[in-house]
Amino acid sequence: MPPSKKFKKSECRFCKTPLTDTFCNLGLSPLSNSYLTKEQLNKTESVYPLHTYVCKNCLLVQLEEFETPEAIFSDYAYFSSYSESWLQHAKKYVESITKRFGLNNHSQVIEIASNDGYLLQYFKQRSIPVLGIEPAANIARVAQEKGINTWVKFFGTQTAQELTVDGKQADLVLGNNVLAHVPSLNDFVEGVRIVLKKTGLFTFEFPHLLQLINQNQFDTIYHEHFSYFSFLTVQKIFAAHNLVLFDVEELPTHGGSLRIYGTHKENKERPPTEGVAALRAKEIKAGLDHLEAYLNFENKVKQVKDNLLLFLTQIKKQGKTIVGYGAPAKGNTLLNFCEIKTDFIDYTVDRSPHKQGLFLPGTHIPIFHPDKIKETHPDYLVILPWNLKEEIVQQQSHIRQWGGQFVIPIPQVEIIA
């Protein structure tokens, strides 16, 4: 199916260099969070190139912008609070950051892409003033119902200036899994600079490009993720706006993420930790400072596809039943690229009631409540949000009663009995 309109190659969203070098081309795909109703199944779906490039100048891996953020995020299907492990991650972060930097009831915390208040609720419990910035009105409403002050806006220089005029400058700006969702990268980072107090600090978490490459995590590539960051490149981006990264942590979340800590360049109270130099050295050792390291990834992706399809084909030939667990965006990339539809996977389930009763984009696999698994006793359960595999295996351990087994598709096919 052709894309809805033609596009030409663009330029790097950070340094404006023309994009000519392919990182990974996953073909045509619908937007990963464009879930379908039954009535939409027979209508034409819009699909777009899922083709990532690497900038030969700054080495930022990125997708071209085919759909506006307003079209993607203004009414969104992902609610953070449905993952217990993610809530625990958020709670642990709040405890750590509060203690380390002495945040109190006189501090101002601003979270960008605050979703349903999953994280700010823990600051609020400590009587620390909070403000969420969330563009999806349907999700922001849930946070507001929890009593969490939330502005329904996209973040950038304009919103930052509005906050400053309103007397809201931040001691802490944070954003989890938002940096990748920003097409206007320079405007976003400049907004962070504007809204941050002179002695304030910021933290951002995002999937680590090094782990994406090492662990074949190509399914984290989808249209909502405009950029994919190494530490080397993200350091350049913030430095261009007079913001310095003084610390960094490697996290297990989302298959391997980074949490960066930064502040104004003029703020000399935060000298760089040893972690900054150590991670730079690690990435340089992996070759991420040279273009060549990015150009072989696509071959690894094709091998994953071949192996997964071979496994599923063999299972179906044995008359076994296969269903999915989860309806994450990453799962839709995997299924559409591998052309896995209801001929392989009968259905998938998801804990979010906002997805139940709908169908996955492109593949049209139906989404049910997790109780469906107990009704049908499938032989294999494919865990699409593989980053939550420990949580899901524990929740669904009852499938072992009838000999059911778990399938982890990334970084290679793994069976858990």
Side-chain angles (χ1 to χ4, degrees):
M1 188 186 300
S4 56
K5 51 187 175 179
K6 293 182 179 179
F7 299 94
K8 60 182 180 180
K9 290 182 181 178
S10 59
E11 60 186 16
C12 174
R13 61 176 41 91
F14 168 55
C15 69
K16 308 306 179 186
T17 301
L19 297 174
T20 57
D21 295 283
T22 293
F23 175 68
C24 182
N25 186 352
L26 299 176
L28 298 173
S29 183
L31 298 179
S32 281
N33 280 300
S34 56
Y35 300 93
L36 305 171
T37 63
K38 187 175 182 179
E39 292 71 28
Q40 293 174 311
L41 292 179
N42 293 322
K43 296 181 180 179
T44 302
E45 287 182 79
S46 294
V47 294
Y48 307 91
L50 199 53
H51 187 161
T52 44
Y53 294 88
V54 55
C55 175
K56 59 188 174 185
N57 180 38
C58 69
L59 301 178
L60 176 64
V61 173
Q62 58 201 286
L63 280 170
E64 298 170 88
E65 182 182 351
F66 295 122
E67 195 55 272
T68 65
E70 288 77 12
I72 296 174
F73 299 114
S74 293
D75 185 72
Y76 205 48
Y78 177 73
F79 289 73
S80 295
S81 292
Y82 286 103
S83 169
E84 292 297 331
S85 59
W86 188 243
L87 288 176
Q88 287 303 312
H89 174 74
K91 186 176 183 180
K92 185 177 178 181
Y93 165 82
V94 171
E95 291 170 352
S96 171
I97 202 84
T98 300
K99 182 178 180 180
R100 179 176 176 181
F101 297 105
L103 301 177
N104 55 43
N105 58 1
H106 298 294
S107 306
Q108 176 67 61
V109 174
I110 296 177
E111 182 180 10
I112 305 169
S114 51
N115 203 268
D116 57 9
Y118 75 101
L119 187 147
L120 290 181
Q121 63 184 335
Y122 299 118
F123 281 119
K124 193 170 187 293
Q125 289 171 7
R126 294 167 176 263
S127 300
I128 297 174
V130 299
L131 173 65
I133 308 295
E134 172 54 53
N138 63 317
I139 295 177
R141 194 175 306 117
V142 174
Q144 290 164 345
E145 289 169 357
K146 295 177 183 176
I148 295 170
N149 186 17
T150 306
W151 284 19
V152 183
K153 286 180 176 290
F154 284 92
F155 183 81
T157 54
Q158 181 176 337
T159 298
Q161 288 162 355
E162 290 174 9
L163 287 165
T164 301
V165 169
D166 199 49
K168 288 183 170 58
Q169 278 199 296
D171 297 280
L172 171 64
V173 174
L174 72 107
N176 291 342
N177 302 306
V178 61
L179 204 57
H181 293 74
V182 178
S184 302
L185 200 52
N186 287 309
D187 181 71
F188 181 92
V189 177
E190 180 63 15
V192 174
R193 188 194 66 78
I194 291 170
V195 81
L196 195 66
K197 289 181 181 178
K198 291 187 181 300
T199 57
L201 63 111
F202 60 83
T203 71
F204 287 98
E205 293 180 24
F206 49 85
H208 189 190
L209 179 63
L210 181 60
Q211 294 302 323
L212 187 156
I213 294 172
N214 288 345
Q215 301 297 322
N216 296 332
Q217 297 167 357
F218 68 90
D219 57 340
T220 59
I221 297 172
Y222 44 91
H223 296 105
E224 290 90 332
H225 284 173
F226 296 104
S227 303
Y228 306 81
F229 301 98
S230 67
F231 183 71
L232 293 170
T233 296
V234 84
Q235 196 175 34
K236 294 177 190 174
I237 293 169
F238 279 90
H241 295 269
N242 290 315
L243 296 170
V244 62
L245 304 186
F246 65 85
D247 198 7
V248 60
E249 295 177 50
E250 294 183 82
L251 307 172
T253 53
H254 296 285
S257 297
L258 295 182
R259 178 188 291 153
I260 56 173
Y261 296 75
T263 188
H264 288 286
K265 184 179 180 181
E266 310 84 59
N267 182 7
K268 303 303 181 184
E269 296 178 11
R270 307 289 179 199
T273 66
E274 293 180 1
V276 171
L279 186 55
R280 283 182 57 86
K282 182 177 181 177
E283 290 192 346
I284 289 170
K285 185 178 180 180
L288 294 190
D289 58 336
H290 289 91
L291 182 64
E292 291 72 25
Y294 300 82
L295 303 182
N296 296 319
F297 182 62
E298 190 167 348
N299 291 329
K300 294 171 64 178
V301 170
K302 291 176 181 176
Q303 190 63 53
V304 173
K305 175 180 179 178
D306 291 344
N307 292 342
L308 180 58
L309 285 173
L310 177 62
F311 169 77
L312 295 178
T313 300
Q314 290 173 340
I315 292 301
K316 295 300 285 187
K317 283 182 178 178
Q318 296 171 17
K320 303 292 186 180
T321 53
I322 308 169
V323 305
Y325 188 98
K330 59 164 57 78
N332 290 324
T333 292
L334 175 73
L335 297 173
N336 279 292
F337 174 63
C338 295
E339 300 178 89
I340 296 171
K341 301 184 180 182
T342 51
D343 51 345
F344 284 114
I345 294 181
D346 298 339
Y347 63 84
T348 192
V349 301
D350 200 278
R351 293 180 68 191
S352 173
H354 305 280
K355 296 180 182 180
Q356 293 163 11
L358 299 177
F359 296 79
L360 299 184
T363 62
H364 297 184
I365 295 171
I367 310 168
F368 293 101
H369 187 280
D371 286 348
K372 183 79 170 177
I373 293 171
K374 296 179 182 178
E375 299 172 15
T376 63
H377 290 195
D379 297 302
Y380 290 91
L381 186 61
V382 180
I383 298 180
L384 297 172
W386 45 260
N387 53 299
L388 302 175
K389 64 181 180 181
E390 289 84 4
E391 176 182 339
I392 294 166
V393 167
Q394 183 178 6
Q395 288 175 0
Q396 298 298 315
S397 61
H398 58 84
I399 73 169
R400 294 180 172 124
Q401 296 172 10
W402 59 80
Q405 300 182 78
F406 300 93
V407 180
I408 314 299
I410 300 291
Q412 63 270 324
V413 176
E414 176 190 357
I415 309 301
I416 300 177

